[in-house]
Amino acid sequence: MISKNTNICIVDYGSGNTGSVYNIFKSFHDSVKVSNDAEDLKSATHLVLPGVGAFKAAMDKVLKIPTFDLLKDNVLNKKKPFLGICVGMQVLADEGNEHCFCEGLGWIPGSVKKLDAPGLSLPHVGWNNINVKKESALLKDIGSEIDFYYVHSYHFEPKDKEDIIASSDYGMEFAAIVKRGNICGVQFHPEKSQRAGVRLLKNFLNL
């Protein structure tokens, strides 16, 4: 059961999948906004950073959010539950190496590298299962519904393997879900992952 006091703020920074992320949250909870307004960030109980496209382009947009310092304070100091999706997860790293070197947010130490998948086409597109590495409330009641939808050519490699909740395989093993304290990230797209995606997002709202 999700608390009626839960307020979701999907951070508005020009990401292409913001609308679909909004729609899936709205399908099971009323209080959802797409915003970078200071009052909306302050009143939010949960923060979501969606993402599609290249690492540097996403980082450039994130850093141009007029309320970026407030967002950072809410995540790092106020410890509000935060979820990064796809590139929104990758920018949590210290650095990205997609086309060029680019500094990331550094909220979960690590780096973003190209998938090493010889003989397989890139990007990795489609359904893939996950390998659970450690128990987490994010995976509560998902059961056998562990196939999620991916679209990516790069992967986040955390420095501390303890930050990896689940992995997946595409020519190599890569992090599918990461979590450090209140900060979570998923490489797949829960908004495209049907029931398993909805279940995971509901679990996030109960953190």
Side-chain angles (χ1 to χ4, degrees):
M1 180 70 69
I2 299 168
S3 170
K4 292 182 179 179
N5 296 323
T6 298
N7 295 316
I8 307 159
C9 182
I10 300 168
V11 180
D12 185 7
Y13 73 109
S15 174
N17 65 331
T18 300
S20 55
V21 173
Y22 170 85
N23 288 337
I24 194 169
F25 275 113
K26 196 67 176 176
S27 71
F28 59 82
H29 192 71
D30 289 333
S31 184
V32 188
K33 289 185 177 180
V34 177
S35 176
N36 57 37
D37 180 78
E39 291 306 313
D40 291 332
L41 291 176
K42 289 176 183 177
S43 64
T45 60
H46 292 70
L47 298 161
V48 180
L49 187 71
V52 291
F55 186 101
K56 186 178 187 305
M59 270 304 302
D60 287 346
K61 291 178 180 178
V62 168
L63 294 177
K64 288 179 182 177
I65 297 171
T67 50
F68 173 74
D69 287 341
L70 180 61
L71 171 65
K72 184 176 179 180
D73 179 64
N74 273 268
V75 176
L76 299 185
N77 297 324
K78 293 186 171 58
K79 304 293 184 183
K80 292 183 179 180
F82 175 93
L83 177 66
I85 296 173
C86 197
V87 177
M89 162 190 168
Q90 293 181 357
V91 297
L92 299 174
D94 294 315
E95 62 184 46
N97 296 278
E98 185 172 357
H99 309 309
C100 63
F101 173 85
C102 178
E103 288 188 3
L105 295 173
W107 293 357
I108 298 181
S111 60
V112 173
K113 303 176 180 179
K114 192 169 186 177
L115 283 169
D116 183 13
L120 299 174
S121 60
L122 291 177
H124 166 214
V125 179
W127 295 88
N128 208 333
N129 66 337
I130 60 171
N131 310 304
V132 178
K133 297 294 186 180
K134 58 192 299 187
E135 289 187 10
S136 172
L138 281 173
L139 296 176
K140 182 182 177 183
D141 296 333
I142 286 180
S144 61
E145 297 175 358
I146 53 173
D147 283 340
F148 293 91
Y149 191 83
Y150 293 85
V151 182
H152 66 120
S153 297
Y154 289 76
H155 69 101
F156 178 21
E157 186 175 288
K159 285 184 179 177
D160 188 345
K161 301 304 181 187
E162 286 297 307
D163 292 334
I164 302 175
I165 299 299
S167 67
S168 194
D169 294 285
Y170 188 74
M172 61 170 289
E173 186 177 26
F174 62 88
I177 304 173
V178 297
K179 186 176 185 297
R180 172 173 281 217
N182 59 303
I183 302 172
C184 313
V186 293
Q187 182 59 66
F188 48 80
H189 287 274
E191 76 276 15
K192 296 181 179 180
S193 298
Q194 300 178 10
R195 288 187 298 170
V198 170
R199 181 68 261 172
L200 182 135
L201 293 178
K202 288 181 177 179
N203 288 340
F204 167 69
L205 295 185
N206 284 319
L207 293 179

